[in-house]
Structures are given as structure tokens and as C-alpha cells.
């Protein structure tokens, strides 16, 4: 019976790029791209996750492969609900009880967006829904004891948004959420290659370049990768060699915007907590934090040591998984843990 109880508690990181589910007592049970493929003629859901991601840019006219989450919030309610139904059913198929779900949301989420998340999960099969800021979950996942009166800064660079937050005493003291993250990196690479080489590439190709040779500084190792796209002038296929220095130049603009947001949060943070952060350092999470040299860039520009966690993509959901033990103390619905503590 104990295992059935555990199966009812799920932590969910509903990201723009990836969706992860953590089942209490089991760990991360689902890690899938946040993509769905649907037949436009009859509305049938065809594929979810990795199978749907492979269809992006390759579907016939009657099939649409879409991202139902944009900038960390729901953009297509129906598709999000159906995706969640599929993913939750994978981990609750042998349970007779509807699960309780703790879901991570951006610190900038509005009340309307919160309600959409709650309603979608209830419709997808959740019994109760609890909300928590991603920054609080990321801090917990990074091994930080957020209950202490000690300031920590977390920079979570996801797919659609970058969340910069200072946490202390179990809540968020200062935060900034900007729509510059992994997807913006891909867009910047596409624009750069179009401008410099007169070649148009897809977002999937840009993501591959970012993953393999992406960096924020050129270490002189001569890394490069052949890139295939369409020549804008002739309309014919064309291959160009993209170097690491190209990546540094392409990513400079979005990186500067992230650094500006970090500066803004530090400027608004009380001096005592800034002193704590200077000792504790800056924790980097999210898939975007894996760009080569990002930790060194933030360290050099702020004077505060920045460190990427061991598993940056899953850090948020691991933290939310740890917080599942506090569900009985939380209020379900619109008020999440951090806001409740700030109100008390």
C-alpha cells in the first residue's frame, strides 16, 4: 500500500523544451521533449515527446508538430492537456488513485497562467495541483538548504525563459524572468549564419551546432562543424563550415541580455544577501547553462564564482521531487510554497 501512496505524488517540470516527471519513491520516470504531433484533419494525437520532435519541420500538410508550451507557460491548452494525459498515464497506469502533482512554474507567471496550468493538470488526471517557483525547486535540486537565512542566487536557463532569483528563508527575495534562453540561442545562430554566409538553416540544425561547438569564448582549439542549409540567393543546397568563433559571435547578444538581468537582480538584492552570494556563488541550471564557458563568463563579469550543477536539465525536477515530502503542508491551487511562506 505504501508504494501506491508514493505513486500518487508526482513532481512536474513543464518546460518549453523538455517535460520531466519525477515519481516519489522512484525518481525521474519521464524525460521527453515538449512536442506533440496531431492530425489536423480529425484532431487525433499521433505522437508525444521524442517521436513528435523528430517530425518537426518534416510533416505533411495534414500533420502538425507543435510546442504547446512557449516561454514557460501554456500556449495551446488542448494540446498541453492531451500531452500531460499521455505522460502522466505512463507513470500511473497501475495505480487506482489519481496523483497529486507539484508543478514548477516561472516566477513571472500571472494568475491567469497559473489557473491554466492547474486546470490542464486536473483535466489530465491530477487529483490536486500544487505550484512552486522553478527557482525554489532548482535551489533544492542543487543541494541548497533554502530554509536558512542565507542568500543564494540561481540562474536557470531553460528553453524559453531564463529565471534569475535570489532565495533565502524558503522563498524568493528577488527575481527576474526574461524570454531569452535556449530557443533564443538557436534563433541567434540562425540569424547569424543567414547574415554572414547567406545560408538559411533550420532550428534543429542550429541546436545541433549549439550543442556540439557552441561557446561564449573562443579557446583557440579550432573546433568547427559542417553546416548544411539552403542558399538564399540560388535556393539550392549549400554547405558551410561554422567555427567556434562564429558561435561566440552569434551568441554574444543573448548572453549580454542574460548578464544584464543578473546585474539587475544583484542591484535590487539587499546588501546582506549580496554578501552571502559573494561567498556562496551563483548556481547555474537548465539546458542553456551547458553552453561552453558560460560559467566562466558570468564569473569574470560579476566577480562571483558561478558553477553549473551536475545534471542541469533535471535539476529543477529533482528539487521538486525532494519537496514532495512537504505536500501535506502546502495549500493546493493558486498559492505556491514560496508565496505562502512570504505571506506568513
Amino acid at each position: 500500500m505504501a508504494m501506491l501512496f508514493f505513486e500518487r505524488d508526482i513532481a512536474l517540470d513543464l518546460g518549453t523544451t523538455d517535460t520531466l516527471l519525477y515519481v516519489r519513491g522512484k525518481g525521474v520516470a519521464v524525460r521527453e521533449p515538449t512536442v506533440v504531433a496531431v492530425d489536423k484533419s480529425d484532431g487525433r494525437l499521433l505522437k508525444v515527446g521524442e517521436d513528435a520532435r523528430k517530425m518537426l519541420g518534416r510533416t505533411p500538410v495534414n500533420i502538425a508538430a507543435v510546442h504547446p508550451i512557449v516561454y514557460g507557460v501554456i500556449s495551446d491548452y488542448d494540446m498541453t492537456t492531451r500531452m500531460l494525459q499521455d505522460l502522466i498515464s505512463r507513470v500511473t497506469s497501475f495505480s487506482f488513485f489519481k496523483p497529486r502533482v507539484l508543478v514548477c512554474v516561472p516566477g513571472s507567471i500571472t494568475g491567469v497562467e497559473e489557473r491554466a496550468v492547474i486546470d490542464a493538470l486536473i483535466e489530465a488526471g491530477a487529483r490536486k495541483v500544487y505550484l512552486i517557483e522553478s527557482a525554489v525547486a532548482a535551489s533544492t535540486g542543487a543541494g541548497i538548504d533554502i530554509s536558512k537565512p542565507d542568500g543564494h542566487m540561481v540562474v536557470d536557463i531553460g528553453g524559453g525563459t531564463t529565471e534569475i532569483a535570489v532565495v533565502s528563508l524558503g522563498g524568493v527575495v528577488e527575481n527576474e524572468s526574461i524570454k531569452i534562453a535556449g530557443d533564443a540561442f538557436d534563433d541567434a545562430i540562425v540569424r547569424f549564419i543567414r547574415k554572414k554566409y547567406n545560408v538559411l538553416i533550420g532550428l534543429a540544425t542550429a541546436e545541433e551546432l549549439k550543442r556540439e561547438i557552441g561557446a561564449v569564448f573562443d579557446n583557440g582549439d579550432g573546433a568547427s562543424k559542417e553546416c548544411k542549409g539552403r542558399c538564399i540567393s540560388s535556393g539550392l543546397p549549400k554547405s558551410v563550415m561554422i567555427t567556434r568563433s562564429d558561435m561566440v559571435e552569434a551568441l554574444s547578444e543573448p548572453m549580454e541580455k542574460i548578464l544584464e538581468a543578473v546585474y539587475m537582480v544583484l542591484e535590487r538584492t539587499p546588501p546582506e544577501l549580496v554578501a552571502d552570494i559573494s561567498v556562496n556563488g551563483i548556481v547555474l541550471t537548465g539546458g542553456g547553462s551547458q553552453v561552453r564557458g558560460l560559467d566562466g563568463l558570468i564569473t569574470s563579469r560579476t566577480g562571483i564564482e558561478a558553477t553549473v550543477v551536475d545534471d542541469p536539465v533535471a535539476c529543477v525536477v529533482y528539487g521538486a521531487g525532494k519537496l514532495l515530502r512537504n505536500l501535506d503542508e502546502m495549500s493546493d491551487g493558486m498559492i505556491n510554497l514560496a508565496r505562502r511562506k512570504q505571506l506568513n
Side-chain angles (χ1 to χ4, degrees):
M1 293 300 294
M3 183 56 68
L4 286 176
F5 173 78
F6 285 149
E7 287 186 351
R8 290 183 292 167
D9 293 342
I10 295 172
L12 171 66
D13 180 11
L14 188 60
T16 301
T17 303
D18 295 295
T19 295
L20 293 87
L21 270 70
Y22 181 107
V23 180
R24 189 176 179 186
K26 293 183 177 180
V28 178
V30 174
R31 186 187 300 215
E32 291 279 7
T34 310
V35 185
V36 295
V38 62
D39 190 325
K40 293 188 290 186
S41 61
D42 56 15
R44 285 185 301 115
L45 188 67
L46 301 177
K47 299 289 182 180
V48 170
E50 180 61 30
D51 290 338
R53 188 192 67 80
K54 293 176 181 177
M55 296 183 177
L56 286 171
R58 297 181 171 90
T59 58
V61 293
N62 64 309
I63 296 176
V66 298
H67 290 279
I69 306 295
V70 177
Y71 298 131
V73 296
I74 294 174
S75 65
D76 188 323
Y77 180 85
D78 181 56
M79 287 298 103
T80 299
T81 301
R82 294 165 73 178
M83 178 188 73
L84 290 171
Q85 285 175 336
D86 180 273
L87 298 180
I88 291 175
S89 68
R90 299 183 191 184
V91 298
T92 59
S93 56
F94 298 106
S95 174
F96 296 104
F97 304 97
K98 289 186 175 182
R100 299 186 298 176
V101 179
L102 175 64
V103 58
C104 305
V105 295
S108 60
I109 193 171
T110 66
V112 173
E113 291 165 345
E114 282 187 354
R115 175 52 61 190
V117 171
I118 294 167
D119 291 346
L121 280 164
I122 293 295
E123 193 173 335
R127 177 163 57 93
K128 288 186 176 181
V129 179
Y130 305 79
L131 304 182
I132 189 167
E133 287 106 330
S134 297
V136 174
S139 301
T140 304
I144 298 171
D145 185 355
I146 61 174
S147 65
K148 294 181 178 180
D150 192 21
H152 294 268
M153 174 174 270
V154 177
V155 179
D156 180 23
I157 307 175
T161 62
T162 292
E163 302 282 327
I164 302 111
V166 175
V167 295
S168 179
L169 288 172
V172 176
V173 179
E174 284 291 345
N175 76 289
E176 186 73 25
S177 178
I178 60 173
K179 296 176 180 179
I180 303 293
D183 290 348
F185 297 168
D186 298 340
D187 290 336
I189 293 169
V190 171
R191 291 196 305 270
F192 175 83
I193 293 176
R194 178 171 184 161
K195 181 179 180 180
K196 182 174 180 177
Y197 294 102
N198 200 38
V199 171
L200 182 63
I201 64 170
L203 291 174
T205 302
E207 183 180 4
E208 186 177 347
L209 287 169
K210 177 184 67 178
R211 185 174 61 251
E212 296 192 15
I213 63 171
V216 296
F217 71 90
D218 189 355
N219 60 7
D221 64 358
S224 62
K225 179 177 174 59
E226 184 181 20
C227 171
K228 297 179 181 179
R230 184 176 75 237
C231 177
I232 296 175
S233 301
S234 67
L236 299 175
K238 183 178 179 180
S239 295
V240 292
M241 192 63 67
I242 306 300
T243 65
R244 179 152 289 163
S245 61
D246 286 334
M247 290 291 99
V248 174
E249 189 174 348
L251 296 175
S252 61
E253 182 180 348
M255 287 301 175
E256 284 299 323
K257 292 180 179 178
I258 290 175
L259 283 166
E260 287 174 10
V262 171
Y263 297 150
M264 289 172 55
V265 173
L266 286 172
E267 288 173 359
R268 297 198 304 257
T269 302
E272 291 81 4
L273 293 180
V274 173
D276 292 340
I277 294 169
S278 68
V279 175
N280 297 327
I282 298 174
V283 174
L284 305 178
T285 70
S289 66
Q290 298 177 101
V291 174
R292 293 169 185 82
L294 179 57
D295 51 350
L297 177 65
I298 293 178
T299 299
S300 66
R301 297 285 289 273
T302 64
I304 303 171
E305 184 176 0
T307 307
V308 182
V309 298
D310 290 338
D311 188 349
V313 175
C315 182
V316 170
V317 81
Y318 277 129
K322 291 180 182 179
L323 292 170
L324 286 173
R325 62 178 179 267
N326 298 331
L327 277 188
D328 292 330
E329 303 170 10
M330 297 184 193
S331 299
D332 62 310
M334 299 292 285
I335 300 178
N336 57 51
L337 177 64
R339 294 181 191 174
R340 183 164 61 85
K341 288 194 173 184
Q342 290 170 349
L343 291 172
N344 286 342

